């Protein structure tokens, strides 16, 4: 039986240092070369996925940007990215601005790179967000270009906002009400007065991308690994939904089983165990 293995990254595959450990990389690369169908599904963009998985062999594309695209790690290019369309993009920017939130607007610069636009003075959290990502080769930030907000663009994959929860949460409700977008909004776990919002075209989700990849590979079974709320959708698409020990309570309740924590190479060792059992 062909099985597809899909893991979230942060808090699941990645350790406490936000890296793939040497042991996990070795185990996953070995079983991957033996035929295991392993990949990741993450909210991250290819700009960070590419270097983080540099030591992990997989012949499958990665699911990036919460399912807005697949990423061919060998050719370093997007596969069938899902964009908003010009009219919807402009309407969405206007709704952000009406709520006092200046979005980071992610558009395709070409088949391999993203441009991220932002206008207006950066808040401290927005500046930290940028500083953590400013030197990545597959992503370029562009600031204070008025036409980025005033001109409709048909190649936008994501809008991300950071701000007070009193602004972000009503914005999220309004955008969900359009029925044309996929919206995720959540409060900062340390400072709940601050919130984040991520907006994609309708239908974008980890679940949809996992189902697509399962169809592409002909997998008859799907094992997914997760720790956070945005992993719940792909867990619904799995025949085997696995939570790491450090997962949120809601994720553990939705899981069919629970393994060790992300700090103990639990995902890699579980993939190895299942693969070797099924290929004996």
């Amino acid at each position: 039986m062909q099985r597809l293995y899909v893991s979230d990254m942060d808090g699941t595959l990645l350790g406490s240092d936000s890296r793939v450990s040497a042991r996990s990389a070795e185990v996953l690369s070995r079983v991957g070369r033996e035929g295991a169908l392993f990949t990741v599904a993450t909210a991250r963009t290819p700009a960070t996925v590419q270097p983080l998985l540099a030591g992990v062999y997989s012949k499958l594309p990665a699911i990036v940007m919460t399912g807005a695209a697949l990423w061919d790690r060998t050719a370093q290019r997007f596969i069938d990215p899902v964009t908003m369309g010009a009219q919807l993009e402009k309407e969405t920017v206007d709704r952000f601005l009406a709520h006092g939130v200046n979005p980071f607007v992610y558009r395709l610069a070409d088949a391999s790179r993203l441009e991220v636009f932002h206008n207006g003075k950066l808040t401290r959290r927005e500046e930290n967000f940028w500083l953590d990502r400013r030197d990545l080769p597959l992503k370029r930030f562009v600031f204070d270009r008025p036409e980025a907000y005033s001109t409709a663009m048909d190649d936008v994959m994501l809008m991300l906002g950071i701000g007070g929860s009193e602004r972000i949460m009503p914005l999220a409700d309004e955008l969900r009400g359009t029925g044309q977008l996929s919206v995720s909004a959540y409060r900062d776990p340390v400072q709940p007065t601050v919130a984040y919002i991520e907006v994609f075209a309708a239908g974008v989700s980890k679940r949809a991308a996992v189902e697509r990849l399962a169809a592409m590979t002909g997998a008859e079974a799907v094992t997914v690994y997760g720790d956070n709320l945005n992993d719940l959708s792909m867990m619904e698409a799995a025949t085997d939904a696995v939570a790491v020990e450090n997962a949120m309570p809601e994720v553990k309740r939705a899981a069919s089983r629970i393994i060790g924590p992300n700090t103990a190479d639990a995902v890699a060792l579980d993939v190895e165990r299942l693969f070797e059992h099924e290929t004996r």
Side-chain angles (χ1 to χ4, degrees):
M1 179 175 64
Q2 190 84 300
R3 180 178 295 272
L4 173 65
Y5 304 89
V6 184
S7 177
D8 171 57
M9 293 187 70
D10 294 271
T12 305
L13 177 64
L14 305 185
S16 57
D17 59 353
S18 295
R19 296 287 185 272
V20 180
S21 75
R23 186 184 187 192
S24 285
E26 185 278 324
V27 168
L28 291 172
S29 295
R30 176 170 50 78
V31 297
R33 291 189 174 94
E34 292 173 1
L37 299 177
F38 174 81
T39 193
V40 298
T42 177
R44 288 175 175 267
T45 69
T48 55
V49 171
Q50 191 72 18
L52 284 172
L53 296 183
V56 179
Y57 170 83
S58 173
K59 65 180 181 181
L60 299 184
I63 296 169
V64 296
M65 301 177 73
T66 315
L70 302 180
W71 173 253
D72 185 326
R73 292 173 52 208
T74 302
Q76 295 195 29
R77 61 183 295 273
F78 288 101
I79 300 172
D80 295 337
V82 181
T83 60
M84 292 183 184
Q87 180 176 347
L88 182 58
E89 184 274 336
K90 181 63 171 61
E91 292 173 356
T92 305
V93 167
D94 290 344
R95 291 178 189 270
F96 266 83
L97 299 179
H99 283 263
V101 181
N102 290 345
F104 288 91
V105 179
Y106 288 65
R107 67 173 290 271
L108 286 166
D110 55 39
S112 299
R113 294 181 304 113
L114 292 168
E115 284 185 329
V116 185
F117 295 100
H118 185 280
N119 290 345
K121 182 177 174 60
L122 292 171
T123 66
R124 178 179 59 83
R125 284 183 178 269
E126 289 173 336
E127 183 175 15
N128 289 339
F129 176 84
W130 163 61
L131 289 172
D132 287 343
R133 296 158 176 81
R134 63 177 174 175
D135 296 323
L136 299 172
L138 296 174
K139 182 191 298 180
R140 182 173 76 98
F141 284 85
V142 180
F143 293 104
D144 294 323
R145 184 174 293 177
E147 62 271 21
Y149 285 178
S150 62
T151 303
M153 296 184 284
D154 63 3
D155 49 8
V156 170
M157 296 175 66
L158 163 66
M159 285 188 206
L160 181 145
I162 306 170
S165 56
E166 78 284 355
R167 295 183 179 184
I168 295 293
M169 294 308 177
L171 170 62
D173 290 340
E174 182 176 319
L175 292 174
R176 290 189 186 104
T178 67
Q180 298 177 288
L181 298 162
S182 178
V183 181
S184 173
Y186 48 94
R187 288 179 169 83
D188 188 286
V190 177
Q191 190 176 349
T193 57
V194 175
Y196 301 80
I197 183 170
E198 298 172 352
V199 181
F200 301 91
V204 168
S205 69
K206 286 186 177 182
R207 174 176 183 162
V210 167
E211 290 175 338
R212 179 184 174 203
L213 197 55
M216 287 172 58
T217 58
E220 301 165 271
V222 179
T223 294
V224 302
Y225 301 89
D227 76 307
N228 214 327
L229 298 181
N230 67 348
D231 299 319
L232 289 173
S233 73
M234 70 174 180
M235 293 176 79
E236 294 172 356
T239 51
D240 180 27
V242 185
V244 286
E245 186 178 290
N246 53 287
M248 296 184 69
E250 297 92 329
V251 178
K252 288 183 176 180
R253 286 196 294 269
S256 53
R257 56 192 179 91
I258 300 171
I259 58 174
N262 66 316
T263 54
D265 302 298
V267 168
L269 295 177
D270 195 69
V271 171
E272 178 185 47
R273 180 186 64 83
L274 285 175
F275 179 71
E276 291 183 349
H277 174 75
E278 292 183 345
T279 55
R280 283 176 187 163

